[in-house]
Amino acid sequence: MRSLLLIGAFWLGAAPLIAQLRPPRVPSPPAAGDAKGRAGARGDERELTELPKFTPVPAPPLQGLAQKQFFWFTMYPDFVVQYDPDTDTVAKKVKLQHGLFWNTTLTHDRKRLLVVTGQQRVVEVVDLAAGAVTATHSFDEEGLILRLRDVRELPGGLHWLLRFDRVKKQVDRYSFEPAQWWLYDVEKKQATKKFAKLPEALERGAQLLPDGATWQGQDDEGNLLLLDGQKLTEQGRIDLRTQRYFGAGAIRLTGQDLLDRRDPGRLRMLFTSNDPVEKSRSTWGIVELDLVQKSITEVVEFGPSQNTWGLRIAPRKLVAAAMTGSFGERDQKARLLMYDLRTGQKIAESYEEFRPRRSLVAIAPDGDKFYIGVAGSDFEVFDAQCRRLKTVELEGEIAGRIYTIDG
């Protein structure tokens, strides 16, 4: 026992000396899950709180639907193509400057396509009227490999939001860094802010309304929110939850506007709602929203909703083409349908067999034809009665979204 006490006394007396001989303790870096610590270490902001000031640029007017319209899309290996649905021929081909494309974004004024190229480190601006690449924007960061995953145009068109995946080049390996958003000044060609998270409204998929000055958002209950274009603060809301009659379900907007998102004062949108009698099914129809008075002006219910996908709307005629089937199966038997969107009535239908991974990709502006594509360099063209017309072969594989643009 005496030996143990002597040893304990020795350690108590020696403790201060041992502490002085130890090297100073270096604080541990933030844990991998500590996003706040990582953001601080990079010197950027955790979240963007306010967007830049802007001058609103509206969407094209409703009168533009009376003009001739074209399809625009990307085609392998490095082209943006203008396609005439009246003649089913290619009208223009724009060769990209930095190789293979990855994704495209149509600007709010529908005059330019922002195409990601250059191994996802370049944005090429394609002017649709000129049919040419008019600007390029390259991105890099010292010691890192950047991959541009998302491009979003902000109100006014002079700033973009860019999301990058970032890979750090170590001595003996590559390591993944946290994804990062950039607020990018288009005229100065530089990032003015770097941050880790979008404002909540944009994170939840807010869309710019036709006036070019207001965001369309949604609250937790599904009501439509009207948000200030710069500060993202609520300016008003349209109640979609209150029962229109006893037992009626809430209105759920599908995001498709029959006015082609051109009218700054109203939206006329497809919706679904719970059936008040048969609880296991839903109904569909059209709801018109007054963006000035912030109210519902009309609701037209069509009946039980249809289990379709790939719905494409022709705003000139208010008809839509749709498709059902099992996307990706080897022998795909699909049902093609045409609907009158004024009444919800089915106009025509047919059953067709397609090769794997084919789907409905476009409808002609007048609704007299629709197009089956994907997984190939061809369009299979059908008329408004769902009868096969022809197959159109192009020079390269068709990829990405097809945009319908005024000529």
Side-chain angles (χ1 to χ4, degrees), residues 72-82 92-97 99-101 104 115 117 126 395-397 399:
W72 282 90
F73 52 85
T74 43
M75 185 177 75
Y76 279 95
D78 54 359
F79 293 100
V80 174
V81 171
Q82 183 193 54
K92 290 180 185 177
K93 283 173 59 180
V94 181
K95 186 172 177 60
L96 298 167
Q97 298 177 1
L100 184 67
F101 54 84
T104 60
V115 188
T117 62
V126 178
E395 297 176 18
E397 185 163 341

Side-chain angles (χ1 to χ4, degrees), residues 39-114:
R42 291 196 307 268
D44 59 12
E45 300 180 19
R46 176 62 187 148
E47 183 175 351
L48 183 68
T49 55
E50 189 172 292
L51 304 181
K53 294 181 180 179
F54 64 92
T55 301
V57 176
L62 272 170
Q63 293 81 353
L65 291 175
Q67 302 177 22
K68 181 177 176 61
Q69 294 182 308
F70 294 89
F71 296 155
W72 282 90
F73 52 85
T74 43
M75 185 177 75
Y76 279 95
D78 54 359
F79 293 100
V80 174
V81 171
Q82 183 193 54
Y83 181 91
D84 187 343
D86 290 339
T87 61
D88 286 315
T89 57
V90 172
K92 290 180 185 177
K93 283 173 59 180
V94 181
K95 186 172 177 60
L96 298 167
Q97 298 177 1
H98 294 269
L100 184 67
F101 54 84
W102 293 88
N103 57 63
T104 60
T105 302
L106 181 65
T107 59
H108 186 69
D109 60 10
R110 307 188 198 182
K111 294 181 179 180
R112 294 174 299 278
L113 276 177
L114 311 179

Side-chain angles (χ1 to χ4, degrees), residues 89-360:
T89 57
V90 172
K92 290 180 185 177
K93 283 173 59 180
V94 181
K95 186 172 177 60
L96 298 167
Q97 298 177 1
H98 294 269
L100 184 67
F101 54 84
W102 293 88
N103 57 63
T104 60
T105 302
L106 181 65
T107 59
H108 186 69
D109 60 10
R110 307 188 198 182
K111 294 181 179 180
R112 294 174 299 278
L113 276 177
L114 311 179
V115 188
V116 177
T117 62
Q119 297 183 324
Q120 296 178 284
R121 288 178 292 185
V122 177
V123 171
E124 300 189 36
V125 181
V126 178
D127 187 295
L128 302 182
V133 176
T134 56
T136 61
H137 301 261
S138 300
F139 310 100
D140 57 57
E141 193 171 353
E142 186 176 355
L144 294 171
I145 298 172
L146 300 181
R147 293 289 182 262
L148 179 54
R149 303 300 193 188
D150 196 357
V151 179
R152 303 191 190 186
E153 184 191 33
L154 292 182
L158 298 181
H159 291 85
W160 301 337
L161 288 176
L162 309 173
R163 184 175 68 83
F164 290 96
D165 284 348
R166 304 153 73 240
V167 180
K168 188 173 183 179
K169 294 184 279 189
Q170 307 279 15
V171 174
D172 58 345
R173 69 189 189 281
Y174 292 99
S175 61
F176 290 95
E177 293 291 299
Q180 190 179 66
W181 284 94
W182 292 10
L183 176 61
Y184 183 76
D185 188 310
V186 177
E187 291 186 331
K188 295 179 180 178
K189 290 193 172 184
Q190 66 180 29
T192 59
K193 289 184 180 179
K194 297 181 180 181
F195 50 96
K197 186 180 178 182
L198 286 178
E200 184 180 1
L202 300 185
E203 191 74 49
R204 297 177 66 162
Q207 301 179 67
L208 196 59
L209 286 170
D211 64 3
T214 311
W215 294 98
Q216 171 194 335
Q218 193 175 49
D219 67 11
D220 290 336
E221 295 185 341
N223 298 309
L224 186 143
L225 301 180
L226 303 176
L227 307 173
D228 180 84
Q230 180 191 0
K231 299 181 180 180
L232 296 169
T233 52
E234 183 178 332
Q235 294 183 316
R237 65 176 56 208
I238 299 178
D239 182 5
L240 302 177
R241 297 287 299 179
T242 301
Q243 292 184 343
R244 292 164 283 124
Y245 53 86
F246 180 76
I251 290 175
R252 297 186 294 268
L253 303 178
T254 66
Q256 301 185 73
D257 180 18
L258 275 63
L259 303 173
D260 199 29
R261 298 189 75 83
R262 292 171 180 259
D263 191 327
R266 60 187 177 132
L267 297 173
R268 190 167 177 81
M269 305 184 73
L270 294 173
F271 76 91
T272 62
S273 182
N274 291 334
D275 191 305
V277 178
E278 186 63 48
K279 300 297 184 181
S280 61
R281 71 181 180 185
S282 60
T283 61
W284 73 306
I286 291 175
V287 58
E288 184 161 310
L289 308 174
D290 188 322
L291 300 177
V292 179
Q293 300 299 323
K294 302 175 180 59
S295 62
I296 296 173
T297 57
E298 183 181 17
V299 178
V300 179
E301 294 188 81
F302 294 154
S305 58
Q306 306 299 307
N307 185 23
T308 62
W309 44 274
L311 189 76
R312 295 293 183 268
I313 298 172
R316 280 187 188 177
K317 198 174 181 180
L318 288 185
V319 297
M323 186 177 188
T324 66
S326 300
F327 183 80
E329 292 187 358
R330 178 170 296 178
D331 297 314
Q332 179 175 308
K333 191 78 172 180
R335 182 183 177 208
L336 304 177
L337 305 109
M338 285 288 291
Y339 289 101
D340 184 335
L341 293 183
R342 293 165 297 187
T343 63
Q345 296 298 308
K346 180 174 62 180
I347 299 172
E349 70 175 308
S350 70
Y351 287 87
E352 296 287 339
E353 200 165 309
F354 299 101
R355 64 180 188 268
R357 297 189 297 119
R358 301 291 276 176
S359 65
L360 180 61

